[in-house]
Every structure is written in structure tokens, then in C-alpha cells.
Amino acid sequence: MTVDALIGMIDVTFDYFGALGGWHQDPEGLEAVRQVKEQMLQDLQEFEGEPSDYELIELCRDWRALRIEPEGEATYPPDMFIEGVCQVIEVS
């Protein structure tokens, strides 16, 4: 999967799960997930072309290790977003 395709998939996942999670009612959860998304996009910018399967596995391992705790009661915690993105990567 190319970097551009990965970025597009992350954006779609963010929008899709945001709609499911009712983020308009969950600003703390939205901000926490936005931080994770920005980290993912920064990490992907380091690659040119298509990362190897091994590099993608390493990225998912790093992303799963992120611990960003939302303030308040988040209906959609960041780890659910990370898991959604990584599952798509692993299946592709």
C-alpha cells in the first residue's frame, strides 16, 4: 500500500469512526484521536513510495504502544482508532 493510499485510509477511518462515535458530543475524545492521527501522518511522511510489510508491522506496533488518554469521558478512545487503522493495514 502506498503512502498516499495509507494517508487516505487513515483520513477515511477518522471520518467514519468520528461519525459513529458522535464526536460532536465528545470534544475530549476527538482531540485525543486527532493527536494519534497526526502522529500517524507524520510517521508515514518519512517513507517514499510504498513501505514494506515489515515497516508497516513496525508502525502498527509503535502506534499501538501510544498511550494518549483523553480527558473526560471519551466515547471513542484513541486505541479503538489505532486498532481500526492497523487491522485494515494487516488485512491489505
Side-chain angles (χ1 to χ4, degrees):
M1 197 179 264
T2 67
V3 170
D4 288 340
L6 288 164
I7 289 171
M9 184 269 298
I10 289 170
D11 286 338
V12 167
T13 303
F14 181 81
D15 293 341
Y16 175 74
F17 281 107
L20 289 179
W23 282 345
H24 61 286
Q25 298 172 354
D26 186 16
E28 292 87 5
L30 174 60
E31 184 53 34
V33 175
R34 184 173 286 138
Q35 289 175 24
V36 169
K37 176 187 170 194
E38 291 304 315
Q39 180 64 49
M40 289 176 163
L41 297 179
Q42 285 177 352
D43 291 345
L44 288 172
Q45 293 301 322
E46 296 175 13
F47 295 97
E48 292 181 18
E50 188 171 342
S52 70
D53 290 345
Y54 176 77
E55 290 168 323
L56 291 174
I57 290 168
E58 288 295 311
L59 277 177
C60 280
R61 184 176 300 141
D62 292 346
W63 294 338
R64 285 176 170 135
L66 291 174
R67 293 289 173 235
I68 297 176
E69 295 295 325
E71 298 175 8
E73 293 185 32
T75 57
Y76 181 55
D79 58 337
M80 289 176 67
F81 175 70
I82 293 167
E83 196 57 37
V85 168
C86 287
Q87 285 180 5
V88 171
I89 288 172
E90 290 167 354
V91 171
S92 330

